[in-house]
Amino acid sequence: MSSQIAIQKVSQPKPKPNQAELGFGHFFTDHMFIMDYTAGQGWHDPRIVPYGPIEVEPSVMVFHYGQATFEGLKAYNTVDGRILLFRPYANAERLNVSNERLCIPPIDPNFTVEAIKSLVEFEKNWIPAGEGNSLYIRPFVIATDPYLGVKPADTYKFFIVLSPVGAYYPEGINPVKIYVESNYVRAVKGGLGFTKTAGNYAASLKAQEEAKEKGFTQVLWLDGIEKKYIEEVGTMNVFFKIDGEVVTPSLEGSILAGITRDSTIKLLKSWNVPVNERRISIEELYVAHDQGKLEEAFGTGTAAVISPIGELNYNGRTISINGGKTGDLSSKIYHTITGIQNGSVADTFNWTVEVK
Amino acid sequence: MSSQIAIQKVSQPKPKPNQAELGFGHFFTDHMFIMDYTAGQGWHDPRIVPYGPIEVEPSVMVFHYGQATFEGLKAYNTVDGRILLFRPYANAERLNVSNERLCIPPIDPNFTVEAIKSLVEFEKNWIPAGEGNSLYIRPFVIATDPYLGVKPADTYKFFIVLSPVGAYYPEGINPVKIYVESNYVRAVKGGLGFTKTAGNYAASLKAQEEAKEKGFTQVLWLDGIEKKYIEEVGTMNVFFKIDGEVVTPSLEGSILAGITRDSTIKLLKSWNVPVNERRISIEELYVAHDQGKLEEAFGTGTAAVISPIGELNYNGRTISINGGKTGDLSSKIYHTITGIQNGSVADTFNWTVEVK
């Protein structure tokens, strides 16, 4: 693979969206990164080109058999005028974990980070100003053979696209109401649950829609085998503070190894807060609540960083957590990680990578 | 939805492939069917247009979140010069079962069949001559919003593409060697296993590749909960003849309700062969073999119709079924269904639909 990234500039840059209308994932920058894979040749022709529609055959394998992986991370403008990425090597390595499971050829993680840095540097004027705003980075791989046989493809495209996004909490971090899902299943050990692949998200849509109709923001997923153990919340990992100890579901093949999850665990350990990765049942959680020991609950993910859970509903029984307010520990984790990301908190873990 | 299908003809038809090089899913006809969905407007603008590349945004939702469904059926030239479809209404109805689970708006099944018939009639010269050759029909739906939020899309495209395909068994129906998979899981109840959606096929690739490396044609999937009950074989439903009775896994949410499966059950009943839809464990199958009662095993699907299983390998123990030869009942089902499809056997079930 050549690390020479060819560059083709747009003739006319697009107008940038207003900060107020950013939202998430609606706008894309002027350029994108593309690299091709051909069996026998490997990954080749890395290039930065104008962002815009691509041509694919209707028979392109990704439409039919879903051989597709992706990542998500952000670039931040710091308070002192630098541009930071948060743990991009972890994303690049996880992309290969997904690729391996989906029979997609691996991509050198160092090159993935180099490509991200090159594209972000090239598009740095697109990183939106304003507290909490950032440039969302979406690397993704799709199978491109024009062929209807069910087999791993011989050709792929690796893209990186950039989207300026607004603050997740424009009015401050805010707890949500969660429906505990006991009908639909997200994933099971032996399947794709630990990967970031398109099909996992398709599988989640119906539960999410039904929960919204019932007045909840998202679902809490239970394991697909016993419908007993807690897995994830929406598209986030989940943590509970019970009687002073923080508990999060252990990685057993059906849940994503979140980078914000890992960062949260490392932060808690550095603060000497007991943290335990293990199986935790929904019944255990409700018992802890009844004993007054369920102190906080929150999701972790790239988009929200920390999403406090104010209320859970399981089999018709609703419990309120921390009086429906954001807990002190949730808040501390949120402000520490977002502070490291925007340069206002010292990066003692060397998590950030500067784009120069 | 308008049933007026607009037609745009190619200026220059493509040369047709040689029969010998057909294979499966490599070639596509001159035209395809497209229809658009827009929230608030419904399905609109059905049209037959030249087959060729389409333009999509790199942010198109199907690339990222896999909201995609499909079907597969065939058009056959009969011995007396007619063109037949096999149970197309069953495909059109199953497409909506998949759509419902994937949060994709339904498509009037009668219109789907009308669109299939119109396109096949338009492309009838592409139905290849030669015994066992046919025109494979692939209806599919993809989410087309250029948006990275995880939610059901507001826009979709419904395509029908046609591919002339060769006989599945150019040298006669032939039993295959199957590896019983006890590591990877295809699907679990509560997930997407009963739908034809892209992600199910992505999930199957790695097991399939590893089985091939071990010298097997495909895998036999076990249930994801106990790794005990038989589900499917490769991308087919599976049947076993045990002590005179035919047994096939019951539809409990994790396996596809195959149309060839249903046709096989109906044929067996019409022949007064006992047939039982129930859970069947891999251990039971091996015990039946040891007692000399496992008489036949075969997969059912649109591509092969019937695929006899000559050998199974489970946890290192190999068993041979019917001496590795195609069983009489497997052969009779195969010849009856393919005979109904090519018009040489009376269609007493009214399964075929003529394209005029």
Side-chain angles (χ1 to χ4, degrees):
Chain A
M1 180 175 58
S2 163
S3 69
Q4 291 288 98
I5 301 177
I7 291 179
Q8 182 197 342
K9 281 187 82 163
V10 289
S11 47
Q12 183 68 47
K14 292 183 281 199
K16 299 193 173 49
N18 293 328
Q19 278 192 41
E21 63 177 2
L22 283 175
F24 178 83
H26 291 288
F27 299 96
F28 297 91
T29 67
D30 286 316
H31 300 85
M32 61 183 170
F33 172 88
I34 308 184
M35 182 163 68
D36 300 305
Y37 179 89
T38 310
Q41 189 180 357
W43 289 104
H44 61 90
D45 288 317
R47 56 202 184 272
I48 290 173
V49 296
Y51 178 91
I54 57 161
E55 281 202 341
V56 291
E57 295 278 326
S59 57
V60 70
M61 282 174 107
V62 65
F63 286 170
H64 302 269
Y65 307 128
Q67 208 189 353
T69 55
F70 72 89
E71 276 298 326
L73 68 163
K74 289 177 175 175
Y76 309 85
N77 275 322
T78 67
V79 287
D80 58 350
R82 294 175 299 144
I83 300 169
L84 294 182
L85 304 174
F86 186 73
R87 306 188 70 183
Y89 291 97
N91 292 96
E93 278 157 18
R94 190 173 61 184
L95 181 61
N96 280 343
V97 171
S98 302
N99 285 349
E100 202 271 336
R101 180 64 179 83
L102 272 296
C103 299
I104 295 174
I107 304 169
D108 174 3
N110 291 318
F111 183 74
T112 297
V113 174
E114 184 189 330
I116 291 170
K117 288 169 75 174
S118 298
L119 184 64
V120 169
E121 204 282 329
F122 200 70
E123 300 285 71
K124 63 187 174 196
N125 294 332
W126 277 90
I127 308 176
E131 193 183 333
N133 296 340
S134 60
L135 188 66
Y136 182 75
I137 303 164
R138 169 58 59 93
F140 66 102
V141 183
I142 56 170
T144 54
D145 292 15
Y147 174 51
L148 297 183
V150 179
K151 65 178 259 315
D154 289 326
T155 61
Y156 300 87
K157 278 188 194 293
F158 174 41
F159 292 86
I160 305 169
V161 299
L162 305 178
S163 174
V165 300
Y168 196 88
Y169 298 108
E171 292 161 14
I173 185 169
N174 202 20
V176 292
K177 296 180 180 181
I178 298 292
Y179 180 78
V180 182
E181 178 60 55
S182 46
N183 179 21
Y184 299 112
V185 172
R186 179 187 166 274
V188 70
K189 187 178 174 179
L192 302 179
F194 67 98
T195 69
K196 277 189 96 78
T197 186
N200 287 342
Y201 295 80
S204 76
L205 295 175
K206 191 154 183 69
Q208 174 189 311
E209 286 302 289
E210 291 186 4
K212 274 191 187 161
E213 279 163 24
K214 295 183 193 114
F216 298 91
T217 302
Q218 257 301 352
V219 299
L220 188 77
W221 296 103
L222 299 181
D223 77 279
I225 294 178
E226 298 183 62
K227 302 272 179 74
K228 181 176 171 183
Y229 295 101
I230 291 165
E231 299 239 313
E232 296 191 359
V233 59
T235 58
M236 293 184 285
N237 294 116
V238 67
F239 287 75
F240 303 96
K241 184 165 171 248
I242 301 173
D243 203 15
E245 181 190 60
V246 177
V247 178
T248 191
S250 40
L251 303 175
E252 299 186 11
S254 57
I255 69 174
L256 190 75
I259 294 163
T260 312
R261 174 187 182 278
D262 184 72
S263 304
T264 297
I265 291 169
K266 287 190 165 73
L267 274 180
L268 291 169
K269 286 182 177 170
S270 78
W271 296 336
N272 293 316
V273 176
V275 54
N276 198 352
E277 297 176 68
R278 64 170 170 88
R279 301 179 90 184
I280 173 169
S281 74
I282 185 70
E283 290 86 354
E284 177 189 345
L285 202 68
Y286 268 61
V287 168
H289 171 269
D290 292 347
Q291 296 172 340
K293 293 177 179 172
L294 177 55
E295 297 158 358
E296 300 187 34
F298 56 93
T300 64
T302 294
V305 182
I306 299 295
S307 178
I309 297 169
E311 192 179 301
L312 281 177
N313 181 297
Y314 174 57
N315 278 349
R317 195 185 152 210
T318 297
I319 58 173
S320 172
I321 300 167
N322 195 38
K325 296 198 178 66
T326 300
D328 290 343
L329 189 62
S330 308
S331 184
K332 184 177 176 187
I333 299 164
Y334 176 75
H335 287 105
T336 304
I337 294 179
T338 56
I340 292 171
Q341 290 169 340
N342 69 28
S344 66
V345 169
D347 177 16
T348 53
F349 293 91
N350 279 316
W351 281 337
T352 60
V353 171
E354 190 173 347
V355 175
K356 286 181 184 168
Chain B
M1 180 177 56
S2 163
S3 70
Q4 290 287 100
I5 300 176
I7 292 180
Q8 184 198 340
K9 281 188 81 164
V10 290
S11 47
Q12 183 68 46
K14 291 183 280 198
K16 299 193 172 53
N18 293 327
Q19 278 192 40
E21 62 178 2
L22 284 175
F24 179 83
H26 291 288
F27 299 97
F28 298 91
T29 67
D30 285 318
H31 300 85
M32 60 183 172
F33 172 87
I34 309 183
M35 183 164 67
D36 300 306
Y37 179 90
T38 310
Q41 189 181 357
W43 288 105
H44 61 90
D45 288 317
R47 57 202 184 272
I48 290 172
V49 297
Y51 178 91
I54 57 161
E55 279 202 343
V56 291
E57 295 277 326
S59 57
V60 70
M61 281 174 108
V62 64
F63 286 170
H64 302 269
Y65 307 129
Q67 208 190 354
T69 55
F70 72 90
E71 275 299 326
L73 68 163
K74 289 177 176 176
Y76 309 85
N77 276 321
T78 67
V79 285
D80 58 349
R82 295 175 300 144
I83 299 168
L84 295 182
L85 304 174
F86 186 72
R87 307 188 70 182
Y89 293 96
N91 292 98
E93 279 156 18
R94 190 173 62 185
L95 181 61
N96 279 344
V97 171
S98 302
N99 285 349
E100 203 271 336
R101 180 63 178 84
L102 273 295
C103 300
I104 294 174
I107 304 168
D108 174 2
N110 291 319
F111 183 74
T112 297
V113 174
E114 184 189 332
I116 290 170
K117 288 168 76 175
S118 299
L119 184 64
V120 169
E121 204 282 330
F122 200 70
E123 300 284 71
K124 63 187 173 195
N125 293 331
W126 278 91
I127 308 177
E131 194 184 332
N133 296 339
S134 61
L135 189 66
Y136 182 77
I137 303 164
R138 170 58 60 90
F140 66 100
V141 183
I142 56 170
T144 54
D145 294 13
Y147 174 51
L148 296 184
V150 179
K151 65 177 261 312
D154 289 326
T155 60
Y156 299 87
K157 278 187 192 295
F158 174 41
F159 292 85
I160 305 170
V161 298
L162 305 179
S163 174
V165 300
Y168 197 87
Y169 299 108
E171 292 161 13
I173 185 168
N174 203 19
V176 292
K177 295 180 180 181
I178 298 293
Y179 181 80
V180 182
E181 179 60 56
S182 47
N183 179 21
Y184 300 112
V185 172
R186 179 187 167 274
V188 71
K189 188 178 174 178
L192 303 178
F194 66 99
T195 70
K196 276 189 96 76
T197 186
N200 287 342
Y201 296 79
S204 76
L205 296 175
K206 192 154 181 68
Q208 174 188 311
E209 286 301 290
E210 291 185 4
K212 274 190 187 161
E213 280 163 23
K214 295 184 191 112
F216 299 91
T217 302
Q218 257 302 353
V219 299
L220 187 78
W221 296 103
L222 299 181
D223 78 279
I225 293 177
E226 299 183 62
K227 302 270 179 76
K228 180 177 171 183
Y229 295 102
I230 291 166
E231 299 238 311
E232 297 191 358
V233 58
T235 58
M236 294 183 285
N237 293 118
V238 67
F239 287 74
F240 304 95
K241 183 163 171 251
I242 301 173
D243 202 16
E245 182 190 60
V246 176
V247 179
T248 191
S250 40
L251 303 175
E252 299 186 11
S254 57
I255 70 173
L256 189 75
I259 294 162
T260 312
R261 174 187 182 278
D262 184 72
S263 305
T264 297
I265 291 169
K266 289 191 165 70
L267 275 181
L268 291 170
K269 287 182 176 170
S270 78
W271 296 337
N272 293 314
V273 176
V275 54
N276 198 350
E277 298 176 66
R278 64 169 171 84
R279 300 180 92 185
I280 173 170
S281 73
I282 185 70
E283 289 86 352
E284 177 189 346
L285 201 69
Y286 268 61
V287 168
H289 171 269
D290 291 348
Q291 296 174 339
K293 293 177 179 172
L294 177 55
E295 296 156 0
E296 299 188 34
F298 55 93
T300 64
T302 294
V305 182
I306 299 294
S307 179
I309 297 169
E311 191 180 302
L312 282 176
N313 180 297
Y314 174 56
N315 277 348
R317 193 184 152 211
T318 297
I319 59 173
S320 173
I321 300 167
N322 195 39
K325 296 196 178 68
T326 301
D328 290 343
L329 190 63
S330 309
S331 183
K332 185 178 176 185
I333 299 164
Y334 175 76
H335 287 105
T336 304
I337 294 180
T338 55
I340 292 172
Q341 290 168 340
N342 69 27
S344 66
V345 169
D347 177 16
T348 54
F349 293 92
N350 280 316
W351 280 337
T352 58
V353 171
E354 190 173 347
V355 175
K356 285 180 182 169

